[in-house]
Structure formats: structure tokens, C-alpha cells
Amino acid sequence: MEKRKISILGSTGSIGTQTLEVIEKLQDKFEIVALSGGSNTKLLEEQARKFKPKYICIGNSNEKLDIKGIKTLYGPEGLNEICSNKENDIILVAVSGKIGLRPTLKAIENKITIALANKETLVMAGDIVIQKAKENGVNILPVDSEHSAIHQCIKDISQVDKLIITASGGPFLHKTVDEMKKATVKEALAHPRWHMGKKITVDSATLMNKGLEIIEAHHLFNMPYDRIDVVIHPQSIVHSAIEYKDGSVIAQLGLPSMHIPIQYAITYPNRLQGIKTKSFSFSEIARLDFEKPDFEKFPALNMAYQAGKIGGSMTVCLNAANEEAVFAFLDGKINLYDIYKITNTMLEKHQVIKNPTIDEIFEIDNEIRTKTKELCG
């Protein structure tokens, strides 16, 4: 594999820091062009001094970092400048939230390969992003473990009958609805398998995270929603699977580690020995359990299927309403189950725009967020 020039948007977050761990093990394979961080400027400075990128981008222009030989950029304009730099071979988009959408499109316009770890990009504007990628001949390589698994299993998408996305079930898999309604923030953040940021961990507890992944899978693999299944798999060993038209099922397995899908995305189509926790052992794992998700207890799944099938701005509404409701839960304003009620209320009220532009998507997003905050009190 020839040396690749890479930029990481969101280098101080969970995916970003793990990406740098992967790159540290493969130093001779990568050159870092740029790193960007949000509010954690201390960590960004440490990363910059260690990995020596040409550019860093800081979320807040009031923050100042002066590192010899490194140019400092600021805010969304800085992200767009990074994504306009054709020196990049690949850009890993690991920023959280809607801020990832415009830089991703800018990178696609400049024909730069995308390693995508930002859900909002495809949930909010999947039709636009995928079309732009096709027009520019750009690969979008998924970093999510589930979509990475599917990507690794597929040889010819035209021969695939069904996608099977696995879900751990989160901390409330075997809890009652009443127990979920009384759940504390601490309980919701106690994910049994994965260490992630607070918002995505709450989404995993409600299974909205899986709902958003259904929408992402639809766009990434051009698969109709009625051919995308979800199965609960508490061990998180089977990361997802596909069923071919002849009935063969191919799955990707591995110990729960984000290093594997991250490395797969940034080294694709090569497979290198980088970070490896330990060899996989079927005998040590001993058992793999699977069960149907409870759509009544976890209504987020149905909301996501319905929003995805309606399409247009409905998925923008789903994403924005859920996110603001999650923030309200984390702030102690509502209980966990209210996230479903509030999100569903916003979906029922939303007037769908079938083919929104990027500007309209952001306008709708802002409007939904304002109304959701009012509902949350």
C-alpha cells in the first residue's frame, strides 16, 4: 500500500482518537494533512504536536493555538478549506452532528475519498450525498461497525437479497417499559459492549441508533427498506450480515473493537496488521444469541423505517427531534421514554418536503430543533 495523505475531522472525539491509534501503528502508511477538533483544544494541541499535521482546525475562533509549522484554521470555513485541499487522498469525517454535512460534500466535489463516521450526513441528506458521490466517482467507505461489516461481505450488490443489521440491544434489552421510564442518565449511559459518546450511547439505549443505521444502510447500499432487517445480538460478535439471493448468508465477525472498521476504511482495499486486540476464538466465545427486536418496547425502529420510506425532509425531522430530545434527557428535563413521544409528535406534525435542497435541509433542521426544545420545556 502506497502512503496515503489523510485528514481527520473530529480527531478529539471517540472515533478520531481511535483513528490516530490505528495510524500510530501504521505510521509508514499515512501522512496526516489536517486534524480538527471542537472544544477540546488541549487534546487537539497534544495531537498536533505528536502527529505534526500541516493544518489544525478549531471550532471556536476565540481559542488560539500557536504551534510552529502548523497553520490554524477555524470553524466551518476551516473544515471546508481542509476538504478543498486536493492533497488529501482520504478524509475521515468523524465530527458529531450536522456540521459534518457541508465538509463531506465539499470533499466529494474535490473527488476525495470519504471514510464516513458521521450519521447525520446520510440521515439528513443521503439522496444528495450519494448522487454527488456517483457524479464525482467518489468512494464513501463506512466506518460504523455494522455498515463496515456489510461492506466487507458484499461482492456484488445486485446478488444480495437482504441486509441484516445486528444490535446489542443496549442496557435495557431485558428491562420493562416501566423500568425504562424510570431509568437514570447513568443507567442509560451504561452500555454493555461499546464505549461511545453520550448522545450515541443514549441512542443505543433507545435503539434509535439502529434506526438511523437502517436509513444509512438504505443509502450506502441502495437497498429498499423492506429488505433491511434488524436482529438483536447481545454479544456484539456478528457485526452484521447479508443474505444472497440463493439463500447463502455471509456475516462479518470479530471482537467488539472500533479499531477494525476504522482501519478497514482508511486502508481499503488493503488489509494490514495494525492494532489487533487478540485472535478471535470460537471456542472462547462459546455461544452467539439472536432474537427479534421488540418494536413495541423500542418504537424508534418503526419511526426510522417509516421516516425512511417517506423520505425527503422526514428523516431530517427524525434526526433533529430525536437529538434535541436526547439532549433534554441528558439535562434531566425529560425521562428516557419521553424521547420517543416527543420525536413521534414532531414526525406527526411535520410537513414533508420531498426533494429539499441543502439550504432547505438546514432550515428545516433548525426549525425542528427550536420546536422540539419548546416541547421538552
Side-chain angles (χ1 to χ4, degrees):
M1 173 179 149
E2 292 184 4
K3 200 167 197 176
R4 288 183 182 170
K5 295 185 177 181
I6 184 171
S7 290
I8 303 169
L9 310 188
S11 66
T12 58
S14 174
I15 296 296
T17 53
Q18 290 179 84
T19 301
L20 288 174
E21 289 168 3
V22 169
I23 289 173
E24 193 171 9
K25 288 287 186 180
L26 299 168
Q27 288 184 38
D28 60 327
K29 303 297 183 185
F30 292 96
E31 178 184 332
I32 296 177
V33 176
L35 299 174
S36 85
S39 58
N40 195 346
T41 50
K42 182 180 178 183
L43 178 56
L44 182 62
E45 181 176 4
E46 290 173 6
Q47 292 174 342
R49 293 189 185 281
K50 182 174 184 178
F51 291 95
K52 298 178 173 54
K54 294 183 179 180
Y55 308 92
I56 56 171
C57 183
I58 301 172
N60 187 347
S61 60
N62 293 323
E63 297 273 0
K64 301 296 178 186
L65 287 182
D66 186 16
I67 307 173
K68 188 176 180 181
I70 299 176
K71 182 178 178 181
T72 303
L73 307 172
Y74 296 94
E77 295 80 11
L79 295 180
N80 283 339
E81 184 173 335
I82 291 169
C83 292
S84 299
N85 186 346
K86 295 185 179 181
E87 185 180 359
N88 285 295
D89 295 310
I90 184 167
I91 293 178
L92 186 134
V93 183
V95 291
S96 178
K98 61 185 176 181
I99 193 173
L101 177 52
R102 289 190 192 275
T104 300
L105 285 170
K106 181 63 69 174
I108 289 171
E109 287 170 15
N110 285 283
K111 298 179 171 32
I112 301 167
T113 298
I114 301 293
L116 188 62
N118 171 277
K119 293 186 182 302
E120 289 80 3
T121 293
L122 293 181
V123 174
M124 292 174 69
D127 289 335
I128 295 172
V129 172
I130 296 301
Q131 183 58 37
K132 289 287 184 186
K134 285 180 181 176
E135 290 171 1
N136 288 280
V138 170
N139 266 346
I140 298 179
L141 300 165
V143 172
D144 268 359
S145 60
E146 295 81 1
H147 302 110
S148 175
I150 291 168
H151 190 270
Q152 292 180 60
C153 292
I154 291 174
K155 286 188 177 180
D156 181 353
I157 190 65
S158 69
Q159 295 178 15
V160 175
D161 189 56
K162 186 167 62 175
L163 308 182
I164 304 160
I165 299 175
T166 56
S168 72
F172 304 121
L173 177 59
H174 299 299
K175 301 290 185 181
T176 66
V177 170
D178 284 340
E179 286 174 312
M180 286 184 69
K181 287 178 179 178
K182 295 172 185 174
T184 65
V185 170
K186 184 179 180 181
E187 288 170 334
L189 294 177
H191 196 281
R193 295 289 173 185
W194 299 95
H195 176 67
M196 305 171 288
K198 288 184 178 181
K199 192 269 177 180
I200 193 172
T201 304
V202 174
D203 279 349
S204 295
T206 63
L207 289 198
M208 181 59 83
N209 193 45
K210 213 51 50 178
L212 300 179
E213 288 172 10
I214 291 165
I215 296 168
E216 288 181 274
H218 163 76
H219 290 296
L220 281 167
F221 305 109
N222 192 28
M223 187 64 67
Y225 284 98
D226 59 5
R227 288 164 56 192
I228 303 174
D229 286 353
V230 173
V231 63
I232 302 296
H233 170 50
Q235 290 91 352
S236 296
I237 296 297
V238 177
H239 297 298
S240 279
I242 61 173
E243 182 176 328
Y244 280 102
K245 291 179 178 179
D246 64 359
S248 293
V249 176
I250 309 293
Q252 188 263 333
L253 286 71
L255 297 170
S257 167
M258 281 307 300
H259 291 121
I260 296 170
I262 290 168
Q263 182 174 303
Y264 174 79
I266 66 175
T267 63
Y268 179 81
N270 303 284
R271 288 188 184 269
L272 308 175
Q273 185 169 340
I275 291 178
K276 193 175 181 183
T277 48
K278 63 176 184 175
S279 292
F280 181 81
S281 169
F282 277 94
S283 58
E284 285 183 23
I285 297 301
R287 60 180 289 171
L288 300 173
D289 298 313
F290 303 93
E291 60 185 90
K292 288 183 178 180
D294 187 335
F295 283 83
E296 291 188 10
K297 188 168 89 172
F298 297 105
L301 290 174
N302 270 330
M303 288 184 209
Y305 273 116
Q306 290 166 8
K309 288 175 181 177
I310 292 168
S313 62
M314 189 60 92
T315 55
V316 181
C317 178
L318 174 77
N319 180 73
N322 171 71
E323 186 166 300
E324 291 302 327
V326 169
F327 291 154
F329 167 69
L330 289 169
D331 288 342
K333 295 178 180 177
I334 63 173
N335 73 42
L336 185 75
Y337 229 71
D338 286 336
I339 296 172
Y340 297 132
K341 295 176 185 176
I342 288 164
T343 303
N344 193 55
T345 297
M346 296 307 299
L347 290 172
E348 288 177 343
K349 290 181 177 180
H350 183 59
Q351 298 293 314
V352 179
I353 296 176
K354 204 61 190 167
N355 295 296
T357 64
I358 290 295
D359 287 340
E360 285 174 330
I361 284 170
F362 279 98
E363 287 170 11
I364 293 162
D365 179 86
N366 288 332
E367 180 186 337
I368 295 297
R369 288 176 188 276
T370 300
K371 291 179 178 178
T372 305
K373 287 175 184 176
E374 290 171 2
L375 266 182
C376 292

